[in-house]
Amino acid sequence: MSRNLIFTGAVLAALGAVVLRMVLGPPGLGWYLLAWTLFAAALWLARRVQGKRLDVLVVAGGIALATIGPAAPPSSSTDSFRYAWDGRVQAAGISPYAHPPADSALAGLHDDWLFPAGCTDPLLWPLPEGGCTRINRPTVSTIYPPLAQGYFLLVEWLSPEGSRHKGLQLGGWALAVLALLALWRLAGARRAAYWAWCPAVPVEAVNNAHVDMLGVLLVVLAFGAVRGKRGGRAGAGALLGAAVAAKLLPVTALPGALSGVLAGKGGVVGKGGVAWRRLLVVGVPALLVVALSYLPYALVSGSSVAGYLPGYLREERYDGGGNRYAVLRLLMPDSWAPYAAIVLLALIVLAVLRHGDAERPWQGALLVSGSFLLLLTPGYSWYALLVVALAAMTGWWEWLGVAVAGAVAYTDGPAAPDNLGTPFYAVAALAALAGWAARRSAEPRRHRPAGDGGAPVVRSP
């Protein structure tokens, strides 16, 4: 047994111990940074581990880390309580967009778990008519889109009575492991390790059971379909539409699926026009899936199907202020930052549509998804799960800094003044720019060899 294999296994064991401490929570900033340091060390040591040993280390290690997630209740997020509530409401035949949890019309669905009798826990939310609940923002209706609602209902149906958060955690575990296996098959073990050993996976996807994991898996499967048999692009479009209907953030992956569509006919640079066929083959299925998923809820709930989304965007200061656009505000007046973010993101999308590699759409998806987070600087670590998966597909490890910055921003308090996430986001942005510049100068823009930034390796069954 090689020394590197032993050392890598030892570091992964230490990472598992730290992750266990984090899920027993609440995880502090020091634990997050230690976990990410061990993760980086494991990736470094594994460089010289080869063959089936690496396959076993990545897959078994990833499954073991993910299995730590359900060891304790959600450690640092209350979102899964809302998921459980939305599933319960739907099981009762009521639209989750119709009433907020605090509505007296739903009092018959309240129980001692989500609506405990004692209100001494500072993490509980007060109710207008007295009492408290574990559900965040109980006076507003749900924010989650329809495919997420279908997932919540499915978990509610499959979960035994009294299972509480466990059904959602086990669902997150299954989704995370499926994503790991898909990445291992598509990109090979070395890149799949970016996902398998990332501390955000057991903590955010499994322990906190964030529904973002469903969207991530659908995006990974979508880009896997691109490399499949004829008709793969239409399937990819449908899967990307499903991802958007699960959590809106995967819409940032859609430009990647259309990489090079403005380069000319068939996506060939130098031929004028638009590759309309590919645009329609990808775009139409995506739009149809989103529209059809919303349709049954819209028929029941009407205009309220948007839920709390508009209010959430205002609350999170996406119109400016708070800790939004933190990196841009280091460079310009605060009032300019939202407009600068829109312009820069539009230019990045245009660059992907014009110059992106149609054979490697995951690269364009990573550029847009990662840039979106770097420009908007959200204070929620689970938003970067998509970036971690796309970094695994591309092999562009420097984009993992986006996930580190999100974790720091969340741990320090998403709305805290002088949030520590700002310098981490700034460093992550510099790292992404440096990686892009280095690859652009070292390799031709097209036809890069498989490896760092090349096409994923398709493994035989």
Side-chain angles (χ1 to χ4, degrees), residues 57-152:
L57 194 63
V58 169
V59 175
I63 292 175
L65 285 172
T67 304
I68 296 172
S75 60
S76 54
S77 172
T78 59
D79 285 357
S80 61
F81 301 128
R82 169 72 75 158
Y83 305 165
W85 172 254
D86 284 359
R88 179 183 302 177
V89 167
Q90 292 177 92
I94 303 169
S95 169
Y97 303 104
H99 307 276
D103 195 325
S104 58
L106 302 180
L109 299 178
H110 294 185
D111 67 357
D112 291 338
W113 173 50
L114 292 177
F115 297 83
C119 296
T120 56
D121 190 333
L123 297 179
L124 295 174
W125 289 67
L127 297 172
E129 299 180 1
C132 55
T133 180
R134 300 183 191 277
I135 304 168
N136 58 42
R137 303 176 182 87
T139 59
V140 298
S141 59
T142 189
I143 191 176
Y144 299 103
L147 196 66
Q149 296 297 338
Y151 171 68
F152 303 154

Side-chain angles (χ1 to χ4, degrees), residues 9-341:
V11 171
L12 288 177
L15 175 58
V18 172
V19 168
L20 178 60
R21 170 58 183 80
M22 293 171 72
V23 302
L24 293 174
L29 178 58
W31 290 110
Y32 270 105
L33 294 178
L34 178 57
W36 278 92
T37 300
L38 291 170
F39 170 48
L43 292 178
W44 178 263
L45 289 169
R47 290 176 306 130
R48 296 186 179 180
V49 180
Q50 304 292 335
K52 292 192 176 296
R53 288 180 175 181
L54 182 62
D55 290 332
V56 172
L57 194 63
V58 169
V59 175
I63 292 175
L65 285 172
T67 304
I68 296 172
S75 60
S76 54
S77 172
T78 59
D79 285 357
S80 61
F81 301 128
R82 169 72 75 158
Y83 305 165
W85 172 254
D86 284 359
R88 179 183 302 177
V89 167
Q90 292 177 92
I94 303 169
S95 169
Y97 303 104
H99 307 276
D103 195 325
S104 58
L106 302 180
L109 299 178
H110 294 185
D111 67 357
D112 291 338
W113 173 50
L114 292 177
F115 297 83
C119 296
T120 56
D121 190 333
L123 297 179
L124 295 174
W125 289 67
L127 297 172
E129 299 180 1
C132 55
T133 180
R134 300 183 191 277
I135 304 168
N136 58 42
R137 303 176 182 87
T139 59
V140 298
S141 59
T142 189
I143 191 176
Y144 299 103
L147 196 66
Q149 296 297 338
Y151 171 68
F152 303 154
L153 178 59
L154 178 63
V155 172
E156 170 68 18
W157 280 343
L158 295 178
S159 298
E161 185 72 24
S163 56
R164 298 187 172 186
H165 57 272
K166 286 298 182 185
L168 289 161
Q169 288 183 331
L170 292 176
W173 179 90
L175 296 173
V177 170
L178 287 173
L180 164 60
L181 296 176
L183 288 168
W184 171 64
R185 178 178 173 81
L186 290 167
R190 197 165 304 282
R191 292 192 197 168
Y194 295 1
W195 174 265
W197 304 341
C198 180
V201 175
V203 175
E204 303 300 356
V206 184
N207 177 256
N208 288 324
H210 285 290
V211 74
D212 301 62
M213 188 59 248
L214 176 59
V216 170
L217 175 61
L218 290 168
V219 170
V220 171
L221 295 177
F223 288 130
V226 171
R227 297 185 55 83
K229 57 186 179 180
R230 188 175 180 182
R233 292 196 184 277
L239 286 167
L240 286 172
V244 174
K247 187 70 185 283
L248 299 178
L249 189 59
V251 74
T252 58
L254 190 57
L258 299 173
S259 293
V261 77
L262 300 183
K265 188 176 181 180
V268 179
V269 176
K271 293 187 178 181
V274 178
W276 288 108
R277 184 178 182 280
R278 187 155 63 88
L279 180 63
L280 294 174
V281 165
V282 174
V284 171
L287 290 174
L288 281 175
V289 169
V290 173
L292 291 175
S293 65
Y294 268 101
L295 182 60
Y297 290 98
L299 291 175
V300 173
S301 303
S303 60
S304 65
V305 74
Y308 183 57
L309 180 60
Y312 176 81
L313 295 176
R314 289 191 299 270
E315 177 186 320
E316 291 295 317
R317 306 298 300 274
Y318 283 103
D319 56 347
N323 290 317
R324 296 294 71 74
Y325 317 106
V327 175
L328 290 175
R329 287 161 59 187
L330 296 174
L331 307 173
M332 62 185 67
D334 291 0
S335 60
W336 295 10
Y339 305 103

